[in-house]
Amino acid sequence: MRLRHKPWAQDLIDQHPKFVVPQAEQYKGMWQDKFQKQQPIFIEVGSGKGRFITEMAKTYPEFNFIAIELQTSVVVSILELQLELNLPNLLILHTNGRHLNQYFEHGEVNRVYLNFSDPWPKKKHAKRRLTSPEFLEQYQSILHPEGEIHFKTDNQGLFEYSLASMSQFGIILKQVWLDLHQSDFEGNIETEYEMKFSARGQRIYRLEAYFPQKEI
Ligand code: SAM
């Protein structure tokens, strides 16, 4: 993502703890109390400028949403959208998705969205991919037993890697789309990257997956 330097970004974030939650570790296991309504929590890791998660929060008031984004200059773009919209079911976490189990209790999250995650094509950077085993462990440790991962990308290499990584991890692939925009999938909400890549005629891949439950 091309980033504009925004020296004022951290100040604006600090002024809005109602939306960008500071010291978020203290809410582990208590995220429902941070929202107006107690309802399933859906998170997006790597939200970018926030188009997808804000549209989702608008469209689905019956769910609570948390945008998770690493970069200050991007977090502030989500915040600016939220300052306009004031959605009661959307919070922002300014952190690295690598440490999700510091923020969420097991079972606290009902869905993880990964949209157009950075592909990190070099093998030596594979651990940074949001579908590497290190990240999958994190999702497993916070997801509700009936929770799901929903992943979209334009990047064939990352999609193939993710299918293999999830299968090796033992994750069950519920459904796979090899050309989302030419499919009968209804209600797709496009991300910023998705709009850009599909305008160039690039194919969009999508999958839904879940962790099998351990037999007792
Ligand atoms: N999801 C958006 C979209 O589809 O338009 C943005 C896609 S952009 C390629 C990937 C975003 O993920 C960037 O904003 C980046 O800062 C963020 N990101 C990458 N690794 C992350 C991590 N470990 N934790 C949180 N955010 C991350």
Side-chain angles (χ1 to χ4, degrees):
M1 173 173 296
R2 193 183 301 156
L3 293 177
R4 245 186 340 123
H5 182 55
K6 298 175 184 170
W8 43 269
Q10 190 59 52
D11 281 350
L12 190 64
I13 290 170
D14 293 342
Q15 285 161 24
H16 294 283
K18 180 183 160 199
F19 293 134
V20 187
V21 182
Q23 284 114 39
E25 293 92 337
Q26 62 184 306
Y27 301 108
K28 182 171 174 171
M30 294 181 289
W31 282 98
Q32 290 294 356
D33 300 341
K34 294 288 292 171
F35 289 99
Q36 276 181 14
K37 289 190 192 161
Q38 301 220 342
Q39 46 195 17
I41 294 177
F42 293 176
I43 67 170
E44 182 188 22
V45 183
S47 294
K49 293 180 181 169
R51 181 182 194 273
F52 174 82
I53 196 123
T54 50
E55 287 298 316
M56 288 291 285
K58 255 196 275 179
T59 311
Y60 299 103
E62 68 274 30
F63 300 120
N64 290 328
F65 291 87
I66 302 177
I68 298 175
E69 173 54 53
L70 189 59
Q71 301 190 67
T72 311
S73 56
V74 188
V75 169
V76 84
S77 298
I78 315 174
L79 173 60
E80 285 172 324
L81 282 177
Q82 176 60 325
L83 287 171
E84 276 171 35
L85 297 166
N86 202 8
L87 294 162
N89 60 335
L90 175 64
L91 292 171
I92 305 164
L93 253 185
H94 182 194
T95 195
N96 192 327
R98 191 175 283 285
H99 311 297
L100 291 175
N101 61 5
Q102 292 178 12
Y103 299 96
F104 300 101
E105 211 50 91
H106 182 63
E108 199 169 13
V109 172
N110 294 75
R111 190 171 297 168
V112 174
Y113 288 104
L114 306 172
N115 290 316
F116 299 82
S117 313
D118 297 313
W120 295 109
K122 289 189 182 151
K123 209 173 170 185
K124 67 177 180 186
H125 293 144
K127 284 189 174 181
R128 298 183 192 176
R129 298 176 194 150
L130 297 192
T131 49
S132 67
E134 290 78 7
F135 279 91
L136 296 180
E137 261 173 42
Q138 291 291 313
Y139 310 145
Q140 184 174 36
S141 74
I142 63 166
L143 268 172
H144 186 271
E146 285 161 23
E148 295 186 357
I149 300 173
H150 291 192
F151 171 53
K152 285 195 279 191
T153 182
D154 64 302
N155 189 295
Q156 187 181 350
L158 180 65
F159 196 67
E160 288 169 357
Y161 166 84
S162 305
L163 290 173
S165 174
M166 288 184 182
S167 299
Q168 279 162 23
F169 201 90
I171 294 179
I172 297 165
L173 296 167
K174 187 176 149 191
Q175 212 169 339
V176 172
W177 291 258
L178 296 179
D179 195 347
L180 180 66
H181 291 191
Q182 299 304 320
S183 74
D184 56 6
F185 184 88
E186 284 177 15
N188 183 42
I189 290 188
E190 291 193 80
T191 78
E192 277 101 0
Y193 269 63
E194 184 169 0
M195 291 168 94
K196 193 167 80 178
F197 291 128
S198 61
R200 289 184 199 156
Q202 275 173 244
R203 181 195 287 235
I204 307 300
Y205 302 88
R206 185 177 192 278
L207 67 79
E208 293 180 1
Y210 60 93
F211 293 92
Q213 292 315 300
K214 292 191 187 104
E215 307 232 343
I216 305 166

